[in-house]
Amino acid sequence: MTKDLLGRHRAVLPDWLALYYDNPLEITHGEGRHVWDAEGNKYLDFFGGILTTMTAHALPEVTKAVSEQAGRILHSSTLYLNRPMVELAERVAQLSGIPDARVFFTTSGTEANDTALMLATSYRRSNQILAMRNSYHGRSFSSVGITGNRGWSPTSLSPLQTLYVHGGVRTRGPYAHLSDAEFIAACVADLKDLLGHVRPPAALIAEPVQGVGGFTSPPDGLYAAFREVLAERGVLWIADEVQTGWGRTGDHFWGWQAHAQNGPPDILTFAKGIGNGSSIGGVVARADIMNCLDSNSISTFGGTQITMAAGLANLTYLLEHDLQGNARRVGGLLIERLRAAAVKHPGVREVRGRGLMIGIELVKPGTDEADPQAASAVLEAAREGGLLLGKGGGHDTSALRIAPPLSLTVAEAEEGAAILERALASTQ
């Protein structure tokens, strides 16, 4: 049955629509931190639908909220007052830390970043954007134009002029040998030099932890230092929290809070985990920025009632059960377990991350050269052992990505680490 479905997939869907595994699997249902495929195999899910199943599969509280809302009304568009949308917007605005915040809901992180770019360029009357090397911000025409990862950038055409800045990857590049303080100083000096050669841009957009880039990040405080330079020139800071938001990093509710010396960003984008599988994205911005557009707009599906019901129930569960704290505690144990295991494997260059957002970078033993074949082999071996992982990285997709639901237990973390250790050993 799976083979037949794969043939139908290839006959009707684009060639560039990527599938994991030599023999792709069909996931039919899930519960908690586990999923099952069409052949009845059970897997511990360490990728959560690309960081989207944030709390748990088939979470009863979310299922109940969606079912009850579906029995009333699914959708009406933003042309009508929408109580669930207003209620979720109120909570997101308060949690964002942005003063006098306004919230606009979209259906994806791509669309959220697209909206943020429109706001920033309109507000600043400039189409020039600063972005980070190794970054990923979506698949729309504008978000591809600011993506600094060639593996996910199918065209160089863009409505924007993009300038790429150092700093998103701590352990590679010309500043990798420096201390954290020296690294930040060098990146700031480079930014100042760049700004001295161009007209003031509209904004800097940055992921606090680069997701598709392999869960890389700068030293804490880099974006605060950047912001001091940018604020002097009126340049906005957009924090892309599509993957880092809602407590996944453990230490903070938002990734930007690791760089919070001078306050929140001007614009914040979010998506993925808030819906626990429902299609929710959004933008939070100061009122003067959000309201700068001088024409009408609506969203047909952004903020639709059924996704807002899911988001409200999911956010309530996350906060009431302190899943941020769980990400910090269980994630801390998991990363130390993985670092201990990695010592035995010469192909592991680095185990990095924070909370339940962990990357394992693989290289050819004895070198610093990325090894995407090894990453694919470990992915396959982990699946055979009953564990689903992700891949990423700006160096030929050589990093394994680990991002399970934030309700992961200590026992499940240990189980997953043991499977992954065996998968690494089997591919050496």
Side-chain angles (χ1 to χ4, degrees):
M1 290 179 62
T2 300
K3 187 175 181 180
D4 176 63
L5 185 61
L6 176 59
R8 291 163 60 191
H9 173 104
R10 287 175 172 162
V12 75
L13 296 171
D15 291 345
W16 42 260
L17 195 62
L19 288 168
Y20 272 173
Y21 307 114
D22 293 338
N23 296 305
L25 61 86
E26 176 193 0
I27 294 176
T28 57
H29 61 287
E31 182 179 345
R33 276 70 54 194
H34 292 86
V35 295
W36 285 259
D37 68 17
E39 312 302 323
N41 299 305
K42 180 182 179 182
Y43 304 94
L44 181 58
D45 185 3
F46 264 28
F47 203 37
I50 318 179
L51 292 84
T52 298
T53 305
M54 180 171 66
T55 48
H57 291 281
L59 186 70
E61 290 81 351
V62 173
T63 301
K64 180 174 182 287
V66 168
S67 177
E68 290 178 350
Q69 182 61 54
R72 292 190 292 271
I73 188 169
L74 295 175
H75 168 74
S76 67
S77 89
T78 55
L79 290 171
Y80 305 94
L81 286 173
N82 178 332
R83 188 173 300 274
M85 181 171 68
V86 172
E87 291 175 352
L88 186 56
E90 289 171 338
R91 299 191 72 180
V92 171
Q94 188 273 324
L95 289 165
S96 74
I98 295 175
D100 195 21
R102 299 293 187 272
V103 182
F104 177 75
F105 289 107
T106 67
T107 59
S108 69
T110 290
E111 191 188 348
N113 285 331
D114 209 44
T115 303
L117 293 169
M118 181 175 66
L119 290 171
T121 54
S122 298
Y123 186 81
R124 292 276 295 151
R125 310 305 299 170
S126 167
N127 75 332
Q128 193 159 265
I129 295 292
L130 301 174
M132 305 304 295
R133 299 176 186 187
N134 196 51
S135 59
Y136 175 82
H137 298 288
R139 57 173 175 75
S140 67
F141 191 41
S142 70
S143 59
V144 162
I146 59 164
T147 287
N149 185 321
R150 68 182 181 183
W152 293 90
S153 184
T155 177
S156 62
L157 301 174
S158 175
L160 303 167
Q161 181 184 2
T162 308
L163 303 169
Y164 292 101
V165 181
H166 281 295
V169 182
R170 176 64 184 90
T171 61
R172 285 188 181 271
Y175 305 145
H177 64 287
L178 301 176
S179 69
D180 283 355
E182 291 169 336
F183 182 94
I184 291 174
C187 291
V188 169
D190 178 73
L191 175 64
K192 287 180 177 179
D193 180 70
L194 173 64
L195 292 173
H197 296 283
V198 299
R199 296 183 64 81
L204 165 74
I205 185 168
E207 306 157 272
V209 179
Q210 294 182 328
V212 170
F215 292 169
T216 64
S217 61
D220 288 357
L222 175 73
Y223 294 121
F226 275 7
R227 195 177 189 203
E228 286 188 17
V229 175
L230 298 173
E232 292 174 358
R233 297 158 175 82
V235 180
L236 303 178
W237 173 27
I238 304 170
D240 179 344
E241 298 275 357
V242 169
Q243 297 197 31
T244 47
W246 318 108
R248 177 164 288 282
T249 64
D251 293 333
H252 306 100
F253 194 75
W254 302 106
W256 68 259
Q257 290 171 313
H259 308 269
Q261 292 91 323
N262 46 16
D266 301 291
I267 304 174
L268 177 153
T269 62
F270 62 86
K272 291 194 182 290
I274 181 60
N276 203 45
S278 294
S279 297
I280 304 175
V283 184
V284 190
R286 297 195 322 259
D288 61 316
I289 297 173
M290 185 69 81
N291 295 332
C292 76
L293 304 183
D294 61 1
S295 63
N296 295 325
S297 189
I298 62 167
S299 180
T300 303
F301 288 107
T304 196
Q305 283 91 335
I306 195 159
T307 61
M308 296 295 96
L312 280 164
N314 193 46
L315 182 57
T316 297
Y317 185 92
L318 176 130
L319 295 171
E320 289 183 349
H321 291 80
D322 187 25
L323 294 194
Q324 177 187 336
N326 191 66
R328 181 178 64 253
R329 293 185 295 271
V330 179
L333 293 171
L334 178 58
I335 196 168
E336 290 307 315
R337 172 72 168 79
L338 292 173
R339 281 175 174 159
V343 171
K344 309 171 190 175
H345 303 289
V348 176
R349 179 178 183 270
E350 182 181 23
V351 178
R352 56 181 176 249
R354 58 201 315 164
L356 286 173
M357 195 173 186
I358 302 169
I360 302 177
E361 185 178 344
L362 302 180
V363 293
K364 296 177 181 178
T367 76
D368 212 27
E369 184 181 349
D371 195 345
Q373 290 77 25
S376 294
V378 174
L379 201 76
E380 294 281 356
R383 175 195 171 175
E384 289 300 313
L387 178 69
L388 302 185
L389 303 169
K391 287 191 300 181
H395 301 277
D396 299 316
T397 317
S398 61
L400 303 171
R401 292 201 286 163
I402 297 167
L406 302 189
S407 55
L408 187 75
T409 67
V410 171
E412 289 165 342
E414 177 59 35
E415 177 190 355
I419 295 171
L420 183 51
E421 184 173 12
R422 291 193 293 270
L424 285 165
S426 72
T427 58
Q428 295 293 317

